[in-house]
Amino acid sequence: MDAPVQSPFLIAFNLTRRCNLGCRHCYLDAGTKEQGDEGELGTAEALALIDQIADLSDETMIVLTGGEPLLRGDIEELAAYATGRGLMTVLGTNGIGLTKKRVASLLKAGVRAAGISVDSLRSEYHDNFRGMAGAWVKTMAGIDECRAAGLMYQVHFSVTEENAHELEDMIAFCRSSGAAVLNVFFLVCTGRGETFTNITPRTYERVLERVAQAARDEQSLIVRARCAPHFKRMAMEMDPPLPVTQADGYDAGGCHAGIRYARITPEGAVTACPYMEESVGNVRESGFAGIWHDAPMFNALRNPQLEGRCGECEYTRLCGGCRARPLARDNNLMGEDFLCAYQPGGGAIIAPMPQTNSNMPWSEEAEQRLKHVPAFVRRFVKRRAEDFARERGEGEVLASHLDELARRRFGGPPPFAGRGGKTKSVT
């Protein structure tokens, strides 16, 4: 029986191929051009696309990225419109254009956070990786401006064999600088990344183990792995387990490509993720909702017939491996993820937590707080808060319960707290 089509958690909207850098690993193979390609979606088309995404679900996070999205003159207009339609709007940027004035305008447009790429704390490595001398200094200045203005920011760290040893220092930097999240990315060989050396399975496993430890132990910083579904297996293997899998009600499970996640190119093509280059349709030719529901590749990903170790693994429903890697290397969407070193143990398949309906009431303030929690962790947070209220012998979830859970997890307001200290998330 086919799985029901669910609304997207996350849409990555590549607004432009223009970029002020020339990163060695860029999946979009973005160019350093003054003007965008003629085929780039214009403002009216982009606004119409935002409408289509919001009509499908108002619980979606939309990432306005590129290329470098700050090179689009209409970025604030697009961000404000997406925010007005109820979407959680964030920016994916290299950070060098985040001046004081620009950060203020982004905040005014309703941008909730900026994801900023930092590939090393060694300026020479970062500059070489990003293709421009002086890039590191400008990115650090952009981080300073975000912190000063109260714009939440995440650090995106792309791990390679050459910088994997910096993970410990990167965690410490993010903690001390006030970053809300450290996202550790693992490259997939597409775009310019086809010619860039990836990490070895041994390094991959070692880095993921440290990421899992940091995800459990860090209080003021959220640490997560991206494009590495095996992180979920490691979370379950920890003692005690880190509750960030679908078995715990955490809806961000393994690879979400085409299941709860899609990418839209500057020309309007829809792909399952940024590392899958095959278009499943174009928003200029058909509506996004129709593509989301009916694309054959998406439906295959939602009802996977995995091969090799991924098909035999007890974690197949919580992880399932990265689908982009075997597709890029072997042209096999369902092939095993060759970067995973785990050998299946032959045990029973671990099932996600079933959906349940709760009759416990929530106060109005608590419900408003819950709406600000990203959709992919909302069910987890909801269950956790209700269990906490029951443990205290109370029959209603209150905002104070959310505050207490945040204090226990983070020692104070969580990284996603607003500038006024109001809690935005308790994950």
Side-chain angles (χ1 to χ4, degrees), residues 1-152:
M1 181 178 179
D2 289 351
V5 177
Q6 298 174 294
S7 58
F9 283 145
L10 178 65
I11 299 294
F13 186 3
N14 291 129
L15 292 173
T16 183
R17 293 182 188 273
R18 282 173 281 174
C19 192
N20 40 19
L21 298 181
C23 304
R24 295 164 63 191
H25 65 300
C26 180
Y27 64 78
L28 197 64
D29 198 13
T32 54
K33 295 178 289 187
E34 292 294 326
Q35 302 296 327
D37 293 333
E38 290 183 2
E40 194 173 277
L41 293 177
T43 301
E45 292 175 302
L47 294 174
L49 174 59
I50 289 170
D51 275 332
Q52 294 175 38
I53 294 170
D55 288 343
L56 193 59
S57 171
D58 62 359
E59 296 186 338
T60 300
M61 178 186 295
I62 185 169
V63 181
L64 303 178
T65 185
E68 175 49 54
L70 293 178
L71 296 181
R72 287 263 314 214
D74 57 359
I75 181 68
E76 282 87 357
E77 180 180 357
L78 299 180
Y81 192 76
T83 300
R85 284 302 316 265
L87 301 176
M88 183 179 292
T89 307
V90 301
L91 183 76
T93 176
N94 57 45
I96 67 177
L98 290 173
T99 62
K100 181 178 181 179
K101 181 179 179 180
R102 204 62 192 269
V103 170
S105 68
L106 292 169
L107 278 168
K108 185 177 180 181
V111 171
R112 288 281 300 276
I116 303 173
S117 299
V118 181
D119 299 302
S120 176
L121 298 178
R122 295 170 289 152
S123 60
E124 66 278 7
Y125 179 91
H126 178 92
D127 290 356
N128 181 57
F129 197 70
R130 293 281 159 182
M132 188 184 83
W136 188 87
V137 170
K138 293 180 179 180
T139 296
M140 291 297 113
I143 288 176
D144 289 342
E145 295 296 349
C146 289
R147 182 173 59 249
L151 176 61
M152 187 184 80

Side-chain angles (χ1 to χ4, degrees), residues 213-232:
Q213 291 171 358
R216 180 191 61 190
D217 298 339
E218 290 294 322
Q219 285 198 325
S220 61
L221 176 70
I222 293 175
V223 183
R224 291 290 184 267
R226 294 290 179 256
C227 304
H230 326 106
F231 174 73
K232 304 297 182 177

Side-chain angles (χ1 to χ4, degrees), residues 301-338:
L301 290 164
R302 291 162 187 159
N303 302 280
Q305 304 297 315
L306 300 179
E307 301 173 9
R309 287 177 297 135
C310 288
E312 300 168 358
C313 187
E314 58 267 38
Y315 295 97
T316 186
R317 295 184 65 185
L318 305 184
C319 169
C322 173
R323 297 297 94 219
R325 288 197 184 94
L327 182 64
R329 192 188 74 171
D330 306 322
N331 197 31
N332 183 1
L333 185 66
M334 297 296 159
E336 71 175 43
D337 187 339
F338 49 86

Side-chain angles (χ1 to χ4, degrees), residues 157-176:
F157 175 49
S158 295
V159 179
T160 69
E161 201 69 31
E162 291 80 13
N163 67 358
H165 66 280
E166 291 194 62
L167 177 59
E168 205 66 45
D169 289 339
M170 190 63 70
I171 293 170
F173 166 75
C174 290
R175 185 195 310 124
S176 63

